[in-house]
Amino acid sequence: MKAQTGSGDDVGLEDSSQRENQPDSSWQENQPIRANASSSSVASAYFNNKIIIPEDQQHPIFSFKKLWAFTGPGFLMSIAYLDPGNIESDLRSGSVAQFKLLWVLMSATFLGLLMQRLSARLGVVTGMHLAEVCYRSYPRVPRLVLWIMVEIAIIGSDMQEVIGTAIAFYLLSDGKIPLYAGVLITIADTFTFLFLDKYGLRKLEGFFAFLILIMVVTFGYEYVMVAPDQPALLRGMFVPFCEDCGPDQVLQAVAIIGAIIMPHNIYLHSALVKSRDVDRTKRDHIQEANKYFFVEAAIALFISFLINVFVTAVFAEGFYGRNITQVYDSCIEREVPHASVFNTTNLEVDIFRGGVFLGCQFGLAALYIWAVGILAAGQSSTMTGTYTGQFVMEGFLNLKWKRWIRVLFTRSIAIFPTILVASFSGIQDLTQMNDMLNVLMSMQLPFALIPILTFTSSESIMGDFKNGRLMSVFTALLAVLVIGINLFFISVYIHSLPPHWAVYVAVSVLVILYLTFVLYLVWFCLVSNGFHFFDRLPVADSTLDECSPLL
């Protein structure tokens, strides 16, 4: 399979095709596939005003001026590490395992950084984001199945954002804004923020930075107020061991990985890096962009890691080891709204109960500050989810819907089941839905990890910038780990299902279809990267004939 320049419409490409057609004479061999500039799409509104990269002759090795020019996409990407699903995973981790799982959080964040590095490199080198490369590489049926899987991940993330925002409004209003009303508000605020990029790319990125700052201040305030045990915190972060941990702690460790590494975020980052004006005909410009985007992503994910640590530590110190009577008495003493949630026999915590608990232990100010932090997390991740859905639909299907239509379509899918639960059930069912969505997000991870490994390891796509052997092996092992985690989740979930033969048959069929498609993606990855033994399989001829000439 010999690679040629991909064809078709490209989203947010270089403004000048003339530059693309005049490659640097010093770099002729092993050039990567690059997108042409013949067309644009609705999504290109994000890329209309590309950031120019300044020259800095005084600092040829590292320039803070250039780093500032490249700063933006990584912080937008990092918001997925701070969405309400992650916040809930953090507080549950602290509540069930104290500080013992912080090393899992740190490891998952590091693994996420490596995946985001591959995503950014794909966008920088090719000028196409991951969904566009999938469109040019996979046959029609697998491509459509892959698109559906990614859309499921996006909708699941949308639902978590809606749930988090609704709970934040509920807490801030002392229950005067009912849950279903909070869900409806997310429709309006989504369209309010939708066209912020019309005011300039830098203003949009500045707004996201402001929301991250709100999370740093609010969750940092809770951290300082609780004053967790620092030696225990550092031991939990750097000693990879979980003493006296049982099934609940192991399940939470698995949930942390699923919550941190978000599948749709890999698609998003490969698109966001196209907002910088990088001359892809020059090897040194590509190397420079890869370097600065990696540094920026590392800084952004370090900040998101600190916020996640703040939340985990607050509940590790304040909640772990308490009994229900102590918590309920504190709530009554301080006359905290919603104290009745702890008038029960089981002491559990989630985003809603977490806010109430902080109010009971540290005063009403702690409750409202927590709610503001959750609101910032929900709003920021809502906006990045909007962009992700836009890029994915246009990339996989080569569709060019107007943004408000695209947002209305996917947001309606996310909001409809959420508003039903909010209207006819209680907040307990809403938070249980959040747990199910974390499992769902973990199950979608292979549909981002395997394609990004496939294409970033391909010389025909990446040229000299393809993955080295070590990186390819490491990413492959990570994909195997994630698939194993998914199977573990499925086995745990099956035990909680009603014991009926029809349920088991349905689950078995879904598991078989899931594994079959994952194996297909693995096979395609191997064949695309030179393992020609696998293209002798009976399915090879009919499948490869349908492929785009990109591979």
Side-chain angles (χ1 to χ4, degrees):
M1 296 184 296
K2 185 177 179 180
Q4 301 175 14
T5 301
S7 59
D9 294 334
D10 302 313
V11 179
L13 306 177
E14 296 290 340
D15 295 328
S16 172
S17 60
Q18 182 178 1
R19 188 174 70 180
E20 291 286 342
N21 294 327
Q22 295 178 352
D24 187 351
S25 59
S26 64
W27 183 35
Q28 294 292 335
E29 298 181 357
N30 295 328
Q31 292 193 58
I33 294 297
R34 294 196 305 274
N36 60 49
S38 59
S39 62
S40 60
S41 75
V42 178
S44 63
Y46 180 83
F47 307 112
N48 277 344
N49 300 313
K50 289 193 174 185
I51 304 300
I52 304 299
I53 308 303
E55 296 293 335
D56 191 349
Q57 302 297 337
Q58 296 180 346
H59 304 89
I61 298 178
F62 188 87
S63 167
F64 284 100
K65 183 188 298 184
K66 287 188 176 182
L67 177 61
W68 174 250
F70 282 105
T71 297
F75 282 88
L76 269 69
M77 167 274 297
S78 71
I79 284 174
Y81 291 72
L82 298 169
D83 69 0
N86 276 290
I87 300 301
E88 180 150 331
S89 174
D90 294 335
L91 64 89
R92 285 179 183 256
S93 172
S95 67
V96 303
Q98 205 173 17
F99 303 103
K100 299 173 185 177
L101 296 179
L102 281 176
W103 66 273
V104 178
L105 175 64
M106 184 171 69
S107 300
T109 304
F110 177 73
L111 294 177
L113 175 61
L114 295 182
M115 294 303 101
Q116 300 303 154
R117 172 180 176 270
L118 296 183
S119 174
R121 284 171 65 88
L122 179 70
V124 169
V125 173
T126 67
M128 296 182 285
H129 56 71
L130 181 55
E132 291 176 310
V133 178
C134 290
Y135 174 78
R136 289 156 179 77
S137 304
Y138 288 113
R140 179 182 299 274
V141 173
R143 183 176 74 241
L144 292 177
V145 175
L146 188 60
W147 168 67
I148 291 172
M149 294 295 103
V150 178
E151 287 288 354
I152 290 174
I154 294 172
I155 291 170
S157 178
D158 278 349
M159 293 177 69
Q160 287 186 318
E161 294 149 11
V162 169
I163 291 170
T165 304
I167 291 174
F169 283 127
Y170 189 77
L171 286 172
L172 288 171
S173 67
D174 290 337
K176 294 181 176 62
I177 299 179
L179 292 174
Y180 72 87
V183 172
L184 292 175
I185 289 173
T186 62
I187 301 177
D189 62 29
T190 297
F191 285 98
T192 301
F193 296 129
L194 182 61
F195 298 105
L196 279 178
D197 64 351
K198 296 294 185 181
Y199 296 97
L201 185 58
R202 276 306 199 188
K203 290 184 176 64
L204 174 70
E205 292 172 346
F207 181 74
F208 277 100
F210 174 70
L211 292 175
I212 293 175
L213 179 62
I214 290 176
M215 286 183 268
V216 171
V217 172
T218 53
F219 297 133
Y221 169 84
E222 310 280 5
Y223 179 86
V224 171
M225 183 178 54
V226 174
D229 183 348
Q230 298 302 311
L233 185 150
L234 293 174
R235 185 166 54 252
M237 188 179 299
F238 293 104
V239 178
F241 184 69
C242 189
E243 185 179 359
D244 299 326
C245 287
D248 291 341
Q249 288 76 18
V250 172
L251 185 62
Q252 186 57 45
V254 173
I256 290 173
I257 298 174
I260 285 290
I261 307 176
M262 307 289 278
H264 59 285
N265 209 35
I266 295 175
Y267 287 86
L268 174 66
H269 200 192
S270 63
L272 294 176
V273 297
K274 293 164 57 179
S275 61
R276 268 53 183 176
D277 189 17
V278 178
D279 186 354
R280 296 181 181 86
T281 65
K282 297 180 180 179
R283 179 188 179 89
D284 59 333
H285 286 215
I286 295 177
Q287 287 178 320
E288 178 184 74
N290 286 334
K291 176 179 72 175
Y292 284 108
F293 275 130
F294 177 72
V295 172
E296 185 236 1
I299 295 171
L301 289 189
F302 176 72
I303 294 173
S304 72
F305 172 68
L306 286 182
I307 295 173
N308 286 317
V309 169
F310 289 163
V311 176
T312 303
V314 165
F315 287 88
E317 185 69 31
F319 189 88
Y320 181 81
R322 293 187 178 272
N323 62 59
I324 190 68
T325 303
Q326 291 174 324
V327 175
Y328 183 63
D329 289 344
S330 298
C331 294
I332 297 300
E333 181 181 349
R334 291 181 181 267
E335 299 180 351
V336 174
H338 321 295
S340 60
V341 298
F342 291 115
N343 187 16
T344 181
T345 56
N346 296 321
L347 183 59
E348 297 179 350
V349 70
D350 47 45
I351 288 180
F352 174 67
R353 288 188 181 90
V356 177
F357 168 77
L358 292 175
C360 296
Q361 295 299 122
F362 307 104
L364 283 176
L367 185 155
Y368 294 125
I369 290 173
W370 169 262
V372 170
I374 296 299
L375 182 61
Q379 291 302 304
S380 56
S381 52
T382 290
M383 295 172 64
T384 55
T386 297
Y387 277 115
T388 307
Q390 185 178 336
F391 297 139
V392 164
M393 175 172 280
E394 293 187 356
F396 272 108
L397 304 182
N398 201 29
L399 288 179
K400 296 173 177 60
W401 286 12
K402 293 182 178 180
R403 279 189 296 172
W404 70 269
I405 298 176
R406 171 66 180 79
V407 173
L408 183 62
F409 175 73
T410 55
R411 183 61 60 171
S412 298
I413 295 176
I415 284 177
F416 182 71
T418 310
I419 200 170
L420 285 179
V421 174
S423 301
F424 299 104
S425 300
I427 201 163
Q428 173 64 28
D429 294 324
L430 209 59
T431 53
Q432 287 178 352
M433 182 186 291
N434 219 354
D435 297 338
M436 294 174 57
L437 292 172
N438 274 334
V439 175
L440 177 67
M441 300 296 288
S442 177
M443 294 184 63
Q444 304 306 313
L445 271 176
F447 307 122
L449 292 182
I450 298 175
I452 197 66
L453 173 63
T454 300
F455 302 130
T456 56
S457 300
S458 171
E459 185 175 352
S460 62
I461 294 178
M462 299 292 288
D464 293 337
F465 296 96
K466 70 174 184 176
N467 294 337
R469 187 181 302 274
L470 181 62
M471 188 64 188
S472 297
V473 171
F474 181 81
T475 311
L477 291 176
L478 177 60
V480 171
L481 173 65
V482 169
I483 294 170
I485 288 173
N486 296 340
L487 293 177
F488 175 76
F489 261 138
I490 292 171
S491 66
V492 172
Y493 184 67
I494 287 176
H495 287 296
S496 65
L497 293 175
H500 192 277
W501 67 269
V503 174
Y504 290 122
V505 169
V507 171
S508 299
V509 171
L510 291 175
V511 170
I512 291 172
L513 292 175
Y514 176 88
L515 291 177
T516 300
F517 188 58
V518 169
L519 289 174
Y520 168 80
L521 294 178
V522 171
W523 168 82
F524 189 93
C525 176
L526 293 172
V527 172
S528 301
N529 287 284
F531 292 84
H532 297 297
F533 169 79
F534 294 96
D535 61 13
R536 301 173 187 173
L537 296 176
V539 297
D541 294 336
S542 60
T543 304
L544 295 178
D545 288 343
E546 300 175 18
C547 290
S548 145
L550 182 61
L551 288 173

